[in-house]
Amino acid sequence: MEAVTSAVDEDSITINNVSVEFEDKRHGHFYLSRRFCEQRDIDFSTMTDEFIICGEDDLDQPEFLNSSFICLKSEHVYKKPSKARVNVPLDPDDRLNWILHGQVTVVEKIKHRAKDETMEQNPGQGNSTKNRFKIKFKLHDESSDPSDGMLYEENPSTCSVEIIPKSETDVMHWIHVDSRYSKIAKEMRVEVNTSNIVLNNEYQRNAIKKALKSTFTLIHGPPGWMYQKYGNDCPDIVRIYGNSLENKDFPTLGKYFSKRASAREAKPDPQLKDISVHRLIRLENKPFAEEIRQFDEKFRKYNEGQYEPTLEDLKKYRKKTSQASQKELKQHSVIFCTTAVATSPRFIKALTGRIQQLVIDEAGMCTEPESIAAIIASKAEQVVLIGDHKQLQPVLKSTFAAKLGLRKSLFERYCDRAMMLQIQYRMHPAICEFPSKEFYDGKLLTKSSPKWDISNPLKIWINRDKKPIVFCHVEGQEEYLTVSAEEGNEQSCSNKQEVDKVVKILKHLVEHERLDLSDEENLNIMSQYNAQCHQIRLAVSNIAEKVNVNTVVASQGGEWNYVIFSTVRSLPRYRIEKRPTLGWCAKSLGFISDAHQINVALTRARRGLIIIGNKYLLASNPVWKRLIEHYASLGCVVDEDEEFPRSP
């Protein structure tokens, strides 16, 4: 379900006038010439089981699996015109569009036959003698049956075929998880020698020892568990990106990538450019560098109208960059990539049998297929999952897939085996106290650190002991987007009264506390709604040139000295249920009641946390109710009629 939801969000491929033949009511096939597919970047190829195991191409394989979704559309005329009206356009009421939905099962390669080659122009022609693909498909159970004409007429029906490819990530997961060789993930050595353990606190030392000794280790890393910042004394590491991100630095002709907003904004990290594979292979001393740079220059000239690309050039370029990447990967001891890239062909070709240990960071945010696919593809002798199942879960598009359990990560499934790193260095003890008790059974302990332990705290805090936490009660009014727009999706929520409170607090921090916003680590303003983030950005643009404003999801993994968190949701008191049901809470609170997101929001700040929200509505949720009671017991709740920030 998640694969389907992701696929329909992407662009599809539509091919008209394709001859489609049916073997029965559920199965059929059509043909496309290989050159037609290459020219239009239609790629049916996937990895075979043998490739996953051996890491070598089997270019002569006669057929391979594929799982793209398809939609067949065929127009039928059920009232043929008389001879006298043969040149008169058909009445639209006499036309019937037959629409079928299915999925590709197998793609068969049919090699060139030495006959007349004049039929190339029709991509769906079944009798073409060109090298071609025979695409076999199966209709979904809920799809309509083909018409009688499609089934029984002598000539194949002419259809418009819409091919809806799965995302590259979903394809990799489908291949690896469904492979009959998944048992490889279990066939690992039990013990390895341990030496040169890095000195850390006792929980970190024990976790490292376990990871070096065991084949499968889970390390539960709650917020702020890492204290050390390592300098230049680090291992020989290299970063490899997926094709779509590499294309941002070195555009490839003839290759289509998603134009979604999230894809447009993503780009390789400039801080890692010196260790990025796609840049390293272009350095002067590299074996394929000269040829690759020549292609880069040709592609640049194409934009100036000085070069016309050929299909052969594009094939050669892709082959050279793949070979260069594989050779480069073999030169390094640590490979840094996503789980999706770890299942890519060039990764497998280069590193089959070479990986001692696979470490998946933020494993709590990976779906089970993402983690399992990387484990199987890497064939690592040891697997280490590092994450926190109490923070963000995997982000899914399909609510049905979430309800059926895809939101549960592999890390969460085995979390009872995890070793918890119980010491945190990020947060002031007052900030850590509630999350530790609420989410970590009081086990999360605080050790002194320059991150939070400062000699001159801000004067904004209202607690007698200057505990750097405040809950500001604001009874605002919700406003919703009616359509999806740049500022957020449809029904994304904003609250002007809370925006005004954010602006007031920010002005105080800048004017009276002299908070330096040029240091990006000083402040982050958070909300769980994109619409609210958009309104806050507009409102604070006159105060400072650049202010960090992010959603809670985007803030995962980050930390800032001070955090302002706007919860947005609000209702008049008379509309707040005294005994709220789960359904009422889901509608009135939305995902601000998600305990995972609450945990993330409460644990980003080092030296100070300010929460803005409607305490009466939030108290409908048990977690928020306990937080407000905890803050109130410390004298850290400010009512709407009280002045905050207080005048200096």
Side-chain angles (χ1 to χ4, degrees), residues 323-369:
Q323 290 175 333
S325 297
Q326 293 170 42
K327 190 174 183 64
E328 185 64 36
L329 287 173
K330 294 176 182 179
Q331 310 304 315
H332 302 274
S333 57
V334 179
I335 313 298
F336 178 32
C337 66
T338 63
T339 53
V341 172
T343 60
S344 65
R346 56 179 172 164
F347 185 95
I348 295 174
K349 289 177 184 178
L351 301 174
T352 292
R354 293 171 174 262
I355 299 177
Q356 168 66 29
Q357 188 176 76
L358 170 70
V359 180
I360 302 180
D361 193 18
E362 295 289 3
M365 289 190 67
C366 297
T367 63
E368 281 190 284

Tab-separated table of all heavy atoms in Angstrom, residues 323-369:
chain	number	residue	atom	x	y	z
A	323	GLN	N	31.363	2.287	-13.375
A	323	GLN	CA	32.644	1.612	-13.163
A	323	GLN	C	33.549	2.424	-12.239
A	323	GLN	O	34.190	1.875	-11.334
A	323	GLN	CB	33.346	1.382	-14.509
A	323	GLN	CG	32.680	0.340	-15.391
A	323	GLN	CD	33.345	0.252	-16.762
A	323	GLN	OE1	33.927	1.226	-17.259
A	323	GLN	NE2	33.255	-0.916	-17.386
A	324	ALA	N	33.578	3.731	-12.460
A	324	ALA	CA	34.429	4.595	-11.639
A	324	ALA	C	33.960	4.594	-10.183
A	324	ALA	O	34.778	4.544	-9.250
A	324	ALA	CB	34.415	6.017	-12.195
A	325	SER	N	32.660	4.626	-9.977
A	325	SER	CA	32.116	4.622	-8.619
A	325	SER	C	32.449	3.323	-7.907
A	325	SER	O	32.832	3.320	-6.728
A	325	SER	CB	30.600	4.825	-8.652
A	325	SER	OG	30.268	6.080	-9.192
A	326	GLN	N	32.320	2.214	-8.611
A	326	GLN	CA	32.621	0.914	-8.008
A	326	GLN	C	34.095	0.831	-7.605
A	326	GLN	O	34.429	0.348	-6.517
A	326	GLN	CB	32.285	-0.206	-8.986
A	326	GLN	CG	30.797	-0.346	-9.278
A	326	GLN	CD	30.520	-1.293	-10.423
A	326	GLN	OE1	31.127	-2.346	-10.519
A	326	GLN	NE2	29.627	-0.910	-11.313
A	327	LYS	N	34.951	1.309	-8.492
A	327	LYS	CA	36.388	1.265	-8.199
A	327	LYS	C	36.723	2.158	-7.006
A	327	LYS	O	37.534	1.800	-6.151
A	327	LYS	CB	37.185	1.702	-9.428
A	327	LYS	CG	38.676	1.468	-9.322
A	327	LYS	CD	39.369	1.783	-10.631
A	327	LYS	CE	40.855	1.472	-10.553
A	327	LYS	NZ	41.138	0.037	-10.357
A	328	GLU	N	36.064	3.330	-6.932
A	328	GLU	CA	36.319	4.261	-5.834
A	328	GLU	C	35.852	3.684	-4.504
A	328	GLU	O	36.540	3.816	-3.483
A	328	GLU	CB	35.604	5.591	-6.110
A	328	GLU	CG	35.893	6.680	-5.101
A	328	GLU	CD	37.355	7.106	-5.092
A	328	GLU	OE1	37.975	7.138	-6.174
A	328	GLU	OE2	37.873	7.411	-3.996
A	329	LEU	N	34.706	3.046	-4.496
A	329	LEU	CA	34.163	2.482	-3.256
A	329	LEU	C	35.105	1.453	-2.649
A	329	LEU	O	35.221	1.339	-1.427
A	329	LEU	CB	32.794	1.841	-3.520
A	329	LEU	CG	31.625	2.806	-3.761
A	329	LEU	CD1	30.381	2.028	-4.172
A	329	LEU	CD2	31.342	3.630	-2.512
A	330	LYS	N	35.796	0.714	-3.496
A	330	LYS	CA	36.706	-0.337	-3.012
A	330	LYS	C	37.942	0.215	-2.323
A	330	LYS	O	38.647	-0.513	-1.628
A	330	LYS	CB	37.128	-1.230	-4.185
A	330	LYS	CG	35.996	-2.042	-4.787
A	330	LYS	CD	36.465	-2.834	-6.000
A	330	LYS	CE	35.314	-3.601	-6.635
A	330	LYS	NZ	35.750	-4.354	-7.844
A	331	GLN	N	38.185	1.529	-2.481
A	331	GLN	CA	39.399	2.127	-1.913
A	331	GLN	C	39.216	2.625	-0.485
A	331	GLN	O	40.166	3.092	0.134
A	331	GLN	CB	39.862	3.313	-2.785
A	331	GLN	CG	39.961	3.024	-4.271
A	331	GLN	CD	40.874	1.853	-4.586
A	331	GLN	OE1	41.976	1.757	-4.029
A	331	GLN	NE2	40.410	0.962	-5.450
A	332	HIS	N	37.999	2.529	0.060
A	332	HIS	CA	37.714	3.146	1.356
A	332	HIS	C	37.200	2.120	2.356
A	332	HIS	O	36.584	1.116	1.983
A	332	HIS	CB	36.700	4.280	1.182
A	332	HIS	CG	37.152	5.337	0.224
A	332	HIS	ND1	37.949	6.397	0.604
A	332	HIS	CD2	36.939	5.485	-1.116
A	332	HIS	CE1	38.199	7.159	-0.448
A	332	HIS	NE2	37.594	6.632	-1.503
A	333	SER	N	37.447	2.415	3.622
A	333	SER	CA	37.082	1.458	4.673
A	333	SER	C	35.697	1.695	5.254
A	333	SER	O	35.108	0.797	5.839
A	333	SER	CB	38.117	1.521	5.809
A	333	SER	OG	38.223	2.836	6.322
A	334	VAL	N	35.167	2.917	5.118
A	334	VAL	CA	33.830	3.228	5.635
A	334	VAL	C	33.023	3.895	4.524
A	334	VAL	O	33.461	4.880	3.929
A	334	VAL	CB	33.895	4.160	6.869
A	334	VAL	CG1	32.494	4.481	7.363
A	334	VAL	CG2	34.711	3.528	7.977
A	335	ILE	N	31.848	3.339	4.252
A	335	ILE	CA	30.961	3.885	3.228
A	335	ILE	C	29.751	4.494	3.923
A	335	ILE	O	29.079	3.843	4.722
A	335	ILE	CB	30.475	2.790	2.251
A	335	ILE	CG1	31.642	1.920	1.787
A	335	ILE	CG2	29.738	3.423	1.084
A	335	ILE	CD1	32.719	2.648	1.034
A	336	PHE	N	29.475	5.754	3.613
A	336	PHE	CA	28.375	6.487	4.229
A	336	PHE	C	27.289	6.693	3.174
A	336	PHE	O	27.506	7.355	2.170
A	336	PHE	CB	28.909	7.837	4.737
A	336	PHE	CG	27.887	8.733	5.364
A	336	PHE	CD1	26.806	8.229	6.060
A	336	PHE	CD2	28.016	10.108	5.263
A	336	PHE	CE1	25.878	9.070	6.633
A	336	PHE	CE2	27.094	10.962	5.833
A	336	PHE	CZ	26.008	10.443	6.526
A	337	CYS	N	26.091	6.100	3.396
A	337	CYS	CA	25.022	6.203	2.407
A	337	CYS	C	23.678	5.919	3.070
A	337	CYS	O	23.608	5.564	4.241
A	337	CYS	CB	25.251	5.230	1.244
A	337	CYS	SG	25.140	3.490	1.739
A	338	THR	N	22.598	6.066	2.292
A	338	THR	CA	21.274	5.729	2.784
A	338	THR	C	21.020	4.236	2.603
A	338	THR	O	21.748	3.549	1.878
A	338	THR	CB	20.190	6.510	2.022
A	338	THR	OG1	20.230	6.118	0.637
A	338	THR	CG2	20.423	8.012	2.133
A	339	THR	N	19.957	3.734	3.237
A	339	THR	CA	19.617	2.317	3.076
A	339	THR	C	19.238	2.016	1.627
A	339	THR	O	19.481	0.908	1.137
A	339	THR	CB	18.456	1.924	4.001
A	339	THR	OG1	17.349	2.828	3.785
A	339	THR	CG2	18.862	1.989	5.463
A	340	ALA	N	18.633	2.992	0.938
A	340	ALA	CA	18.261	2.770	-0.457
A	340	ALA	C	19.497	2.592	-1.339
A	340	ALA	O	19.548	1.696	-2.190
A	340	ALA	CB	17.413	3.932	-0.965
A	341	VAL	N	20.509	3.436	-1.145
A	341	VAL	CA	21.738	3.328	-1.943
A	341	VAL	C	22.467	2.023	-1.621
A	341	VAL	O	23.114	1.426	-2.493
A	341	VAL	CB	22.645	4.548	-1.691
A	341	VAL	CG1	24.006	4.368	-2.357
A	341	VAL	CG2	21.991	5.818	-2.215
A	342	ALA	N	22.348	1.551	-0.394
A	342	ALA	CA	23.003	0.292	-0.008
A	342	ALA	C	22.430	-0.905	-0.757
A	342	ALA	O	23.040	-1.983	-0.751
A	342	ALA	CB	22.871	0.067	1.497
A	343	THR	N	21.272	-0.741	-1.401
A	343	THR	CA	20.686	-1.838	-2.174
A	343	THR	C	20.805	-1.612	-3.676
A	343	THR	O	20.180	-2.320	-4.466
A	343	THR	CB	19.191	-1.996	-1.820
A	343	THR	OG1	18.494	-0.779	-2.126
A	343	THR	CG2	19.007	-2.298	-0.345
A	344	SER	N	21.613	-0.630	-4.079
A	344	SER	CA	21.749	-0.309	-5.502
A	344	SER	C	22.751	-1.236	-6.179
A	344	SER	O	23.650	-1.788	-5.533
A	344	SER	CB	22.197	1.143	-5.670
A	344	SER	OG	23.502	1.331	-5.135
A	345	PRO	N	22.642	-1.430	-7.500
A	345	PRO	CA	23.549	-2.341	-8.218
A	345	PRO	C	25.025	-1.994	-8.081
A	345	PRO	O	25.850	-2.878	-7.861
A	345	PRO	CB	23.081	-2.218	-9.673
A	345	PRO	CG	21.658	-1.799	-9.586
A	345	PRO	CD	21.569	-0.931	-8.369
A	346	ARG	N	25.390	-0.731	-8.203
A	346	ARG	CA	26.818	-0.386	-8.158
A	346	ARG	C	27.394	-0.637	-6.766
A	346	ARG	O	28.558	-0.986	-6.624
A	346	ARG	CB	27.051	1.057	-8.596
A	346	ARG	CG	26.282	2.105	-7.810
A	346	ARG	CD	26.590	3.489	-8.289
A	346	ARG	NE	25.714	4.469	-7.649
A	346	ARG	CZ	25.941	5.755	-7.640
A	346	ARG	NH1	27.019	6.238	-8.228
A	346	ARG	NH2	25.099	6.580	-7.054
A	347	PHE	N	26.576	-0.442	-5.726
A	347	PHE	CA	27.023	-0.724	-4.364
A	347	PHE	C	27.284	-2.223	-4.206
A	347	PHE	O	28.325	-2.636	-3.672
A	347	PHE	CB	25.957	-0.246	-3.365
A	347	PHE	CG	26.364	-0.373	-1.921
A	347	PHE	CD1	26.929	0.701	-1.253
A	347	PHE	CD2	26.186	-1.558	-1.230
A	347	PHE	CE1	27.297	0.601	0.085
A	347	PHE	CE2	26.551	-1.675	0.104
A	347	PHE	CZ	27.109	-0.598	0.758
A	348	ILE	N	26.350	-3.033	-4.671
A	348	ILE	CA	26.485	-4.491	-4.535
A	348	ILE	C	27.660	-5.002	-5.361
A	348	ILE	O	28.450	-5.834	-4.907
A	348	ILE	CB	25.178	-5.180	-4.950
A	348	ILE	CG1	24.058	-4.789	-3.977
A	348	ILE	CG2	25.344	-6.688	-4.987
A	348	ILE	CD1	22.694	-5.311	-4.387
A	349	LYS	N	27.796	-4.507	-6.589
A	349	LYS	CA	28.904	-4.944	-7.448
A	349	LYS	C	30.259	-4.656	-6.800
A	349	LYS	O	31.174	-5.474	-6.849
A	349	LYS	CB	28.846	-4.238	-8.806
A	349	LYS	CG	27.719	-4.694	-9.714
A	349	LYS	CD	27.735	-3.865	-10.998
A	349	LYS	CE	26.572	-4.200	-11.894
A	349	LYS	NZ	26.546	-3.374	-13.117
A	350	ALA	N	30.366	-3.480	-6.199
A	350	ALA	CA	31.656	-3.054	-5.656
A	350	ALA	C	31.992	-3.744	-4.343
A	350	ALA	O	33.161	-4.041	-4.078
A	350	ALA	CB	31.662	-1.538	-5.461
A	351	LEU	N	30.996	-4.030	-3.516
A	351	LEU	CA	31.290	-4.386	-2.127
A	351	LEU	C	30.794	-5.765	-1.695
A	351	LEU	O	30.838	-6.086	-0.505
A	351	LEU	CB	30.673	-3.320	-1.203
A	351	LEU	CG	31.179	-1.895	-1.439
A	351	LEU	CD1	30.411	-0.900	-0.603
A	351	LEU	CD2	32.671	-1.798	-1.130
A	352	THR	N	30.351	-6.580	-2.627
A	352	THR	CA	29.918	-7.924	-2.260
A	352	THR	C	31.065	-8.693	-1.593
A	352	THR	O	32.160	-8.786	-2.129
A	352	THR	CB	29.437	-8.705	-3.507
A	352	THR	OG1	28.241	-8.096	-3.973
A	352	THR	CG2	29.151	-10.154	-3.162
A	353	GLY	N	30.787	-9.209	-0.402
A	353	GLY	CA	31.792	-9.978	0.332
A	353	GLY	C	32.825	-9.142	1.051
A	353	GLY	O	33.748	-9.676	1.663
A	354	ARG	N	32.699	-7.802	1.016
A	354	ARG	CA	33.701	-6.927	1.616
A	354	ARG	C	33.219	-6.241	2.895
A	354	ARG	O	33.994	-5.579	3.567
A	354	ARG	CB	34.098	-5.826	0.613
A	354	ARG	CG	34.841	-6.340	-0.609
A	354	ARG	CD	34.980	-5.221	-1.640
A	354	ARG	NE	35.813	-5.632	-2.759
A	354	ARG	CZ	37.088	-5.338	-2.892
A	354	ARG	NH1	37.710	-4.645	-1.965
A	354	ARG	NH2	37.776	-5.745	-3.938
A	355	ILE	N	31.939	-6.347	3.221
A	355	ILE	CA	31.381	-5.580	4.336
A	355	ILE	C	31.407	-6.402	5.615
A	355	ILE	O	30.749	-7.443	5.721
A	355	ILE	CB	29.948	-5.115	4.014
A	355	ILE	CG1	29.959	-4.217	2.785
A	355	ILE	CG2	29.335	-4.380	5.211
A	355	ILE	CD1	28.596	-3.767	2.326
A	356	GLN	N	32.170	-5.924	6.589
A	356	GLN	CA	32.249	-6.588	7.886
A	356	GLN	C	31.068	-6.189	8.764
A	356	GLN	O	30.440	-7.040	9.383
A	356	GLN	CB	33.557	-6.204	8.589
A	356	GLN	CG	33.647	-6.599	10.054
A	356	GLN	CD	33.667	-8.097	10.267
A	356	GLN	OE1	34.141	-8.828	9.396
A	356	GLN	NE2	33.168	-8.556	11.395
A	357	GLN	N	30.758	-4.893	8.796
A	357	GLN	CA	29.716	-4.422	9.711
A	357	GLN	C	28.825	-3.389	9.026
A	357	GLN	O	29.309	-2.459	8.394
A	357	GLN	CB	30.346	-3.815	10.972
A	357	GLN	CG	29.344	-3.472	12.063
A	357	GLN	CD	30.028	-2.964	13.315
A	357	GLN	OE1	30.469	-1.810	13.342
A	357	GLN	NE2	30.117	-3.793	14.349
A	358	LEU	N	27.527	-3.577	9.173
A	358	LEU	CA	26.543	-2.618	8.684
A	358	LEU	C	25.946	-1.895	9.877
A	358	LEU	O	25.387	-2.518	10.784
A	358	LEU	CB	25.437	-3.341	7.910
A	358	LEU	CG	24.210	-2.491	7.530
A	358	LEU	CD1	24.579	-1.472	6.456
A	358	LEU	CD2	23.060	-3.370	7.051
A	359	VAL	N	26.072	-0.558	9.907
A	359	VAL	CA	25.503	0.256	10.981
A	359	VAL	C	24.388	1.105	10.388
A	359	VAL	O	24.627	1.902	9.479
A	359	VAL	CB	26.570	1.168	11.623
A	359	VAL	CG1	25.939	1.998	12.734
A	359	VAL	CG2	27.728	0.334	12.164
A	360	ILE	N	23.162	0.923	10.875
A	360	ILE	CA	22.024	1.733	10.420
A	360	ILE	C	21.684	2.713	11.526
A	360	ILE	O	21.185	2.331	12.587
A	360	ILE	CB	20.805	0.857	10.082
A	360	ILE	CG1	21.163	-0.174	9.000
A	360	ILE	CG2	19.637	1.727	9.614
A	360	ILE	CD1	20.018	-1.080	8.601
A	361	ASP	N	21.969	3.988	11.276
A	361	ASP	CA	21.643	5.036	12.238
A	361	ASP	C	20.200	5.488	12.018
A	361	ASP	O	19.643	5.317	10.932
A	361	ASP	CB	22.599	6.217	12.068
A	361	ASP	CG	22.512	7.202	13.226
A	361	ASP	OD1	21.992	6.830	14.294
A	361	ASP	OD2	22.971	8.351	13.063
A	362	GLU	N	19.598	6.082	13.042
A	362	GLU	CA	18.180	6.478	13.000
A	362	GLU	C	17.317	5.305	12.545
A	362	GLU	O	16.371	5.454	11.759
A	362	GLU	CB	17.971	7.682	12.069
A	362	GLU	CG	18.640	8.970	12.536
A	362	GLU	CD	17.961	9.591	13.766
A	362	GLU	OE1	17.010	8.991	14.294
A	362	GLU	OE2	18.417	10.674	14.195
A	363	ALA	N	17.630	4.109	13.051
A	363	ALA	CA	16.924	2.907	12.632
A	363	ALA	C	15.459	2.929	13.040
A	363	ALA	O	14.635	2.234	12.442
A	363	ALA	CB	17.609	1.663	13.214
A	364	GLY	N	15.115	3.714	14.049
A	364	GLY	CA	13.721	3.826	14.453
A	364	GLY	C	12.853	4.507	13.426
A	364	GLY	O	11.623	4.390	13.466
A	365	MET	N	13.476	5.223	12.476
A	365	MET	CA	12.729	5.912	11.422
A	365	MET	C	12.717	5.130	10.113
A	365	MET	O	12.134	5.578	9.120
A	365	MET	CB	13.312	7.303	11.172
A	365	MET	CG	13.059	8.290	12.281
A	365	MET	SD	13.523	9.983	11.807
A	365	MET	CE	12.305	10.340	10.537
A	366	CYS	N	13.338	3.951	10.092
A	366	CYS	CA	13.357	3.118	8.888
A	366	CYS	C	12.244	2.084	8.974
A	366	CYS	O	12.072	1.437	10.012
A	366	CYS	CB	14.693	2.394	8.748
A	366	CYS	SG	16.123	3.462	8.549
A	367	THR	N	11.501	1.901	7.905
A	367	THR	CA	10.527	0.820	7.882
A	367	THR	C	11.271	-0.514	7.918
A	367	THR	O	12.466	-0.586	7.602
A	367	THR	CB	9.656	0.872	6.620
A	367	THR	OG1	10.492	0.675	5.464
A	367	THR	CG2	8.928	2.200	6.505
A	368	GLU	N	10.560	-1.560	8.276
A	368	GLU	CA	11.192	-2.886	8.295
A	368	GLU	C	11.773	-3.263	6.936
A	368	GLU	O	12.912	-3.754	6.869
A	368	GLU	CB	10.189	-3.933	8.773
A	368	GLU	CG	10.001	-3.951	10.272
A	368	GLU	CD	9.201	-5.145	10.741
A	368	GLU	OE1	7.972	-5.120	10.551
A	368	GLU	OE2	9.790	-6.102	11.281
A	369	PRO	N	11.043	-3.079	5.819
A	369	PRO	CA	11.645	-3.410	4.523
A	369	PRO	C	12.918	-2.636	4.231
A	369	PRO	O	13.853	-3.177	3.643
A	369	PRO	CB	10.532	-3.056	3.519
A	369	PRO	CG	9.274	-3.179	4.294
A	369	PRO	CD	9.618	-2.715	5.679
